[in-house]
Amino acid sequence: MHISELDTPAVLIDLDRMERNIRRAQEHCGRHGKAMRPHIKTHKIPQIARMQVEAGAVGITCAKLGEVEVMVGAGLREILLAYPIVGEAKLRRLVRVAQEANLTVAFDSLEVAQGISEAVGRYGEGSGREIGALVEIDTGMGRCGIAPGPEMVALCRRVADLPGLRFRGLMTYQGWVTGTAEERAAKLQTEDERLKRILGDLAEAGLETPVVSGGSTPTLFQSHLVEPITENRAGTYVFNDVNTVSTGAVTLDDCAMRIAVTVVSTAVPGQIIIDGGSKTFTSDRSAGPGEVTHGYVVEDPELRFVKMNEEHGYVKRDRSTKSYRIGDRLHVIPNHVCVAMNMHEEVYGHRNGEVVETWPVAARGKLR
Amino acid sequence: MHISELDTPAVLIDLDRMERNIRRAQEHCGRHGKAMRPHIKTHKIPQIARMQVEAGAVGITCAKLGEVEVMVGAGLREILLAYPIVGEAKLRRLVRVAQEANLTVAFDSLEVAQGISEAVGRYGEGSGREIGALVEIDTGMGRCGIAPGPEMVALCRRVADLPGLRFRGLMTYQGWVTGTAEERAAKLQTEDERLKRILGDLAEAGLETPVVSGGSTPTLFQSHLVEPITENRAGTYVFNDVNTVSTGAVTLDDCAMRIAVTVVSTAVPGQIIIDGGSKTFTSDRSAGPGEVTHGYVVEDPELRFVKMNEEHGYVKRDRSTKSYRIGDRLHVIPNHVCVAMNMHEEVYGHRNGEVVETWPVAARGKLR
């Protein structure tokens, strides 16, 4: 079946482009002695996770326990859960899934560490199986993450002593590193120096840190600038989107995911309505400067996707020289591909327009 | 089970509040001789649609064909599909589901009307079953809808003559009617006069219009001000949310849906991180003036939910006098309840905190 025969809205994955993205990232990391541990929140599809591992990734990263369960159920075995696990219901599930996989979790507090340690004792049924532990540090994001300093060293020390947990190192995130390539390089240089100081403090306290997990898609091809980072958790790089293009790190040609939509109304002059709005794309805004738009229309960059309701996309056509009729089909690259993927039940993988794969978004909507 | 025992994030529906909202809307409409045809996009749950019909609604409204299929499958029979249906795949499904229900569709173009008319001939298998038709007119929203005037009258005339379709009247939407109660009343007065002129033009052309479908939640209790409207499609009124409260039409006490979340990090001073971000609430912004926030924290209105990533909610606590610990539970009323519901696989209906219903969001994510 050709992609033009699919009903809309439909998520289309250009498999050749996606494979090129996976290969290029893996080669860069391999060249610089870094491991790839891609974040699967971008695609939420076990088949794509397996392709990343087959290309050389040491494992995957998940945001939620429900994503871990889907991925382990599909045969993935090396998993970092980059989110603090709190509450009895999740702790029970965490220990259960850890029996089947090599699981590492990240957190920033002793409360969470103790909860997991005790749960391993309570639910681990004497399996002796430990859960790996990374302490998340705040290196500028201001989200989760303990501030570097004596308290952080003390937390790592306590974690290393807790039964059921195996302290493996630190987790950071370079999501705050934005700007031009030169600006990013300068920020990464500072990060390099800071991480070396932090690791020095931990070594002085007698703590080994075989893993320093970091990275982001805009800094992916600059990850060699931060020497202490051992593995890269980039996620978006597998598809890319308008926001990653706006960082200058990639081009539109590197965008592997598009959403096919159909024109359903031309009644208002100067405007067309497409059959995808915030329920198809989400209302995540474009990160770049200038007019807020909701995606890039591949066929006609003069079309401006300026407004959305849940099922309606408002596309201004006053700058375009083309004319549009009801039933016309357009393809839109979303602003933020991770959140857009979460809105869809399945995706179509194609090569040169021929659909060769239909994949359910198996880890979609896993909130717990 | 008590709601405090549910894992988070969890959507909680206060059934007493919801039933009061349903009853109050139905009573208002009944008193003024209007029908209720609630939009189910707000809840996407057949059980709630049935409660609305049992309370007196003449039927329901859906935004997508996939929602119609779910509702018909659950036994709902009187349905308005308020969205233009385009393309062969959807037309085939439309005619199929119309065999089992009393279906009316809305559109704003002859192209869409002809497509449906021909599909009834092609796929209707001589059942003689017609599909009701409303012509959508633009009364200020600038979305779909043909501008009132001779072209609109001509379109209605053509639709009335098409086989397989039964012309029933007009569809409007008062989503553009905002402001204070007085400002809304003034705008509705204008709308009343305009609709009377439009209906006069249609009557002059020999067209009967038994249905004029309109309404919105902020104007629900003012719907008597627009005499020509025969049925109200309000959706949000069933739960209400921060945006409807900000219109002044309802109060926080009328908000029947809350999302339970848990504090997972307190590492950054002056801030807590909750386990719900844009994947739980969506990034739809607050409609009111002032600081952009992402929901109202019931326990502590001094908490400001100012930022989100997909799985992280950033809540500033610098104005609050309370202290928060990892594991604490909070309840958030979302800005826009319809889009938030779409992110969840199931909801919990409770009375005074005791869970009495667990409902799958059966029509969730139906994009086609």
Side-chain angles (χ1 to χ4, degrees), chain A residues 154-229:
Chain A
L155 175 60
C156 293
R157 182 74 266 161
R158 293 288 298 273
V159 170
D161 292 339
L162 283 173
L165 286 179
R166 188 164 24 93
F167 176 72
R168 303 198 60 215
L170 301 179
M171 184 168 90
T172 75
Y173 175 48
Q174 279 72 50
W176 56 277
V177 176
T178 56
T180 64
E182 291 70 29
E183 289 164 347
R184 292 199 305 269
K187 291 175 185 173
L188 291 174
Q189 186 59 40
T190 313
E191 178 76 340
D192 177 72
E193 291 157 15
R194 183 156 58 161
L195 278 176
K196 281 174 180 159
R197 282 196 303 273
I198 294 169
L199 293 175
D201 291 346
L202 290 172
E204 220 166 90
L207 288 158
E208 282 180 39
T209 51
V211 176
V212 179
S213 176
S216 76
T217 289
T219 63
L220 178 57
F221 296 104
Q222 299 169 299
S223 55
H224 53 287
L225 300 177
V226 188
E227 201 228 305
I229 287 180

Side-chain angles (χ1 to χ4, degrees), chain A residues 287-333:
Chain A
E291 187 182 38
V292 172
T293 52
H294 300 290
Y296 176 87
V297 183
V298 175
E299 284 82 0
D300 186 351
E302 298 301 318
L303 291 179
R304 289 144 54 227
F305 184 0
V306 292
K307 187 177 165 184
M308 294 191 291
N309 298 136
E310 279 142 273
E311 308 290 6
H312 298 81
Y314 297 61
V315 179
K316 292 281 169 221
R317 60 182 180 82
D318 50 326
R319 291 189 196 154
S320 170
T321 55
K322 300 185 186 173
S323 65
Y324 290 93
R325 296 182 57 184
I326 288 168
D328 283 350
R329 187 172 284 236
L330 296 169
H331 295 83
V332 180
I333 300 173

Side-chain angles (χ1 to χ4, degrees), chain A residues 80-158:
Chain A
L80 168 62
L81 173 51
Y83 200 85
I85 294 302
V86 175
E88 207 54 32
K90 289 193 185 77
L91 287 168
R92 193 182 309 125
R93 290 163 55 206
L94 179 75
V95 176
R96 193 190 308 142
V97 79
Q99 305 301 313
E100 297 176 60
N102 191 8
L103 190 65
T104 296
V105 293
F107 45 75
D108 62 12
S109 68
L110 188 61
E111 291 92 322
V112 173
Q114 280 175 327
I116 298 170
S117 169
E118 290 164 16
V120 171
R122 198 155 53 246
Y123 303 117
E125 296 168 7
S127 67
R129 188 130 193 174
E130 290 178 319
I131 294 178
L134 298 182
V135 168
E136 181 168 4
I137 57 169
D138 185 7
T139 49
M141 188 77 185
R143 189 167 72 178
C144 291
I146 186 167
E151 254 189 81
M152 178 216 67
V153 175
L155 175 60
C156 293
R157 182 74 266 161
R158 293 288 298 273

Side-chain angles (χ1 to χ4, degrees), chain B residues 284-329:
Chain B
D284 271 33
R285 297 182 157 215
S286 40
E291 187 182 37
V292 171
T293 51
H294 300 291
Y296 176 87
V297 183
V298 175
E299 285 81 1
D300 186 352
E302 297 302 317
L303 291 178
R304 289 142 55 227
F305 184 1
V306 293
K307 188 177 165 184
M308 295 191 292
N309 297 136
E310 281 141 272
E311 308 289 7
H312 298 80
Y314 298 60
V315 178
K316 292 279 170 224
R317 59 181 180 85
D318 49 327
R319 291 190 196 155
S320 171
T321 55
K322 301 185 186 175
S323 66
Y324 290 92
R325 296 181 56 183
I326 288 169
D328 283 350
R329 185 173 285 235

